[in-house]
Amino acid sequence: MNYTIKNDKLTVEISDLGAEMMSIKKDNCEYLWQGDSAYWGRRSPVLFPIVGSVWEKLYRVDGKVYELGQHGFARDMNFEKVSGSDTEVRYRLVSNDETLAKYPYPFVLEIAYRLNDNRLDVVWEVYNPSDKEMYFQIGAHPAFNYPDYAPDAKERGFFVFDRTEGLECVRIKEKGCVDASVRYPLEIPEDGRMPIASDTFDKIDTIMMEDSQVSEVKMLRADGTPWLALAFDAPVVGIWSPPHKVAPFICIEPWYGRCDRVGYEGEYKDKDWMNRLAPGERFSSVYTIEIF
């Protein structure tokens, strides 16, 4: 079942399944990708309790081996709607026997969506209800339609970051995992606008910037006018569009986590960009989507 929140600027639709955004509209214009398996069938899944892939789909907790697919399981589970108003809705997912069999940590995950003028706040809260430490990752994967998309046009617009010098990224190397020892410079032209072309992701698959290098990603139309922006405090951001498909959308993804390094077989708690919660502790974060 879907729930709609709206104000005089935006209309946003959210599904119980995965607490996933299904639509963001302004003036009847759809900004969120609507899903098509020819390119990518999802729209804006929440990534939990991992971001990306674990090596060989296996990970270890206290020496015991567990199997987990890319981006975890929350995106494929039904959440409970715990509150809703005209402009805000909140969902909850609680660990159960099914989740504990593949992720041995009790948890309460709450996701809220809140409208404020032309901005949408996405709120994540993770609570550890147990008497033991809990480890997790969480991330966003919203896909946004390119403005004025034309399959035959090479230009897709521009990115503007809140930092333009010294940017570096890591890249996927093998089986969805990275070689974190290699940093690739992200060259930004003097005007501060990084061009997006139809073949940009054919070469690099995913742009992953770590270490809180940027906290805002703004997307411009090909004529330089603003289309949308994401602001966040997550330490990692991924930018992705399906390679070699001339896809009509692009994903801007704030992450508290990242895929494994190639060959990683250590403990889950020692993964790169892991989050820890003591018993009874709560993690909270907000990222904001601004529609122009």
Side-chain angles (χ1 to χ4, degrees), residues 11-283:
T11 300
V12 177
E13 190 176 330
I14 304 100
S15 173
D16 290 352
L17 181 62
E20 181 175 0
M21 281 187 295
M22 305 301 285
S23 173
I24 303 174
K25 287 183 178 180
K26 181 177 182 286
D27 299 329
N28 291 318
C29 176
E30 181 62 72
Y31 282 71
L32 196 70
W33 167 246
Q34 292 299 285
D36 180 344
S37 58
Y39 301 99
W40 185 61
R42 298 181 186 263
R43 303 186 189 190
S44 181
V46 176
L47 318 179
F48 178 90
I50 59 170
V51 173
S53 300
V54 290
W55 181 246
E56 302 286 10
K57 299 183 179 180
L58 302 176
Y59 73 101
R60 295 150 187 82
V61 176
D62 297 331
K64 185 175 179 180
V65 178
Y66 296 84
E67 183 172 354
L68 204 54
Q70 186 182 41
H71 297 320
F73 50 74
R75 61 183 182 169
D76 295 316
M77 299 190 72
N78 285 312
F79 283 60
E80 176 192 4
K81 182 170 71 69
V82 294
S83 65
S85 67
D86 289 345
T87 59
E88 184 172 353
V89 65
R90 178 175 289 264
Y91 293 87
R92 179 182 296 146
L93 179 67
V94 180
S95 56
N96 55 34
D97 290 344
E98 177 188 355
T99 69
L100 292 170
K102 49 193 172 186
Y103 172 68
Y105 297 102
F107 67 86
V108 178
L109 169 61
E110 293 194 354
I111 300 171
Y113 298 91
R114 180 176 64 219
L115 288 174
N116 179 17
D117 196 50
N118 65 326
R119 296 179 296 278
L120 173 66
D121 291 336
V122 183
V123 182
W124 296 327
E125 294 186 358
V126 183
Y127 174 67
N128 178 6
S130 76
D131 59 359
K132 297 181 180 179
E133 289 184 335
M134 170 190 173
Y135 298 88
F136 72 96
Q137 296 179 333
I138 190 167
H141 202 318
F144 300 102
N145 291 322
Y146 283 120
D148 309 315
Y149 173 76
D152 297 330
K154 185 175 178 62
E155 295 77 18
R156 292 286 183 263
F158 301 91
F159 282 130
V160 175
F161 306 114
D162 58 337
R163 174 182 166 188
T164 58
E165 296 182 356
L167 295 177
E168 297 178 322
C169 60
V170 295
R171 296 182 184 174
I172 298 293
K173 182 180 180 182
E174 184 181 347
K175 298 180 181 179
C177 296
V178 302
D179 179 355
S181 66
V182 181
R183 301 275 178 151
Y184 297 86
L186 194 62
E187 301 294 344
I188 307 296
E190 289 186 5
D191 65 2
R193 306 188 307 179
M194 174 185 161
I196 312 166
S198 57
D199 62 352
T200 295
F201 295 90
D202 294 352
K203 307 167 188 174
I204 57 178
D205 186 271
T206 306
I207 298 170
M208 283 184 277
M209 288 182 278
E210 303 182 308
D211 302 308
S212 301
Q213 293 181 66
V214 300
S215 59
E216 183 183 66
V217 178
K218 184 178 290 184
M219 186 175 174
L220 310 181
R221 295 178 174 91
D223 65 5
T225 57
W227 175 242
L228 57 85
L230 266 73
F232 47 87
D233 62 6
V236 186
V237 62
I239 301 174
W240 173 81
S241 188
H244 308 290
K245 289 189 176 183
V246 195
F249 68 90
I250 194 163
C251 299
I252 305 171
E253 310 174 35
W255 297 337
Y256 289 86
R258 178 184 40 69
C259 59
D260 275 354
R261 296 171 183 249
V262 169
Y264 182 74
E265 295 182 346
E267 283 279 314
Y268 177 73
K269 67 180 179 65
D270 298 323
K271 276 170 53 71
D272 295 337
W273 303 109
M274 184 55 67
N275 304 282
R276 170 191 171 276
L277 281 178
E281 194 171 37
R282 185 180 299 270
F283 164 94

